[in-house]
Amino acid sequence: MGPRSLSARQQRLRADAHRVIADARRAMFVMAAVLALVWLLQLVNSLDHYGLSRHFGIVAREPSRLPDIFAAPFLHWSFDHLEANSAPLFFLGFLAAYRGVARFVAVSVLIIVASGMGSWLFDSAHTVGAGASGVVFGYFSYVVLRGVLERHLVDIVVGVVVAASYWSILRGVLPTDPHIG
């Protein structure tokens, strides 16, 4: 059956399916690149005895260190720390990006600024924070709420599945460990 024998509706559905697959492929490549960058930075950081984290992490309420909110999510304090963030970062980042990379970049910047400002304002004074946990929580919230806000059935289902699957992530919003920001 050739393209001419398809109805206009079928052609539109086929085009939508191709677009969704292309967007998902781009989202996967973007998140693979982000994770590769973070792991490469971790390797360099560990060889430097975590000097990057110390010099470019968020220092609470230190005005000169406010721009570091953009670097801190890409830095971690150990390979265990990065491992704990990698799977949820990739999975939730992919789900946040599959509707379009341009929107994903905008959402990511908003999340980085909001979570970085939260750390900068509310962490213990003069502590240095680094890691992608704030971004992971931001993507989690975005993926769960996107379906509700946009009223798109696929996004609602994805949000419900993510909320049910990652219910334990909600416990991490108010960590009991004093070493976790």
Side-chain angles (χ1 to χ4, degrees):
M1 176 174 0
R4 293 207 185 269
S5 60
L6 295 175
S7 70
R9 182 175 184 270
Q10 289 171 323
Q11 288 177 355
R12 195 172 49 253
L13 288 173
R14 180 178 273 185
D16 286 347
H18 285 292
R19 183 190 47 77
V20 167
I21 290 168
D23 286 346
R25 186 176 295 130
R26 274 190 290 277
M28 186 175 66
F29 286 128
V30 164
M31 288 313 301
V34 167
L35 230 50
L37 171 67
V38 172
W39 275 89
L40 178 64
L41 284 170
Q42 177 62 19
L43 180 62
V44 171
N45 200 12
S46 70
L47 293 173
D48 187 34
H49 306 288
Y50 298 96
L52 291 175
S53 292
R54 281 191 308 278
H55 295 294
F56 297 103
I58 299 168
V59 178
R61 293 182 290 292
E62 178 63 44
S64 66
R65 299 292 296 270
L66 195 54
D68 293 334
I69 65 174
F70 294 102
F74 298 97
L75 303 170
H76 291 78
W77 292 107
S78 69
F79 281 99
D80 288 341
H81 184 204
L82 178 55
E83 274 184 55
N85 280 328
S86 289
L89 180 64
F90 181 83
F91 181 67
L92 294 169
F94 169 80
L95 291 175
Y98 86 95
R99 285 276 184 205
V101 173
R103 179 191 289 185
F104 170 72
V105 169
V107 165
S108 296
V109 169
L110 177 66
I111 289 169
I112 287 169
V113 169
S115 66
M117 287 298 298
S119 292
W120 189 81
L121 287 170
F122 298 113
D123 281 354
S124 298
H126 308 296
T127 58
V128 182
S133 299
V135 175
V136 169
F137 286 118
Y139 288 158
F140 172 81
S141 301
Y142 175 71
V143 168
V144 169
L145 293 175
R146 178 175 54 200
V148 174
L149 297 175
E150 294 184 5
R151 295 187 176 144
H152 191 278
L153 182 60
V154 170
D155 292 328
I156 291 170
V157 171
V158 167
V160 168
V161 169
V162 165
S165 300
Y166 279 87
W167 71 269
S168 65
I169 204 171
L170 295 174
R171 291 184 302 175
V173 172
L174 300 172
T176 57
D177 185 341
H179 298 99
I180 298 176

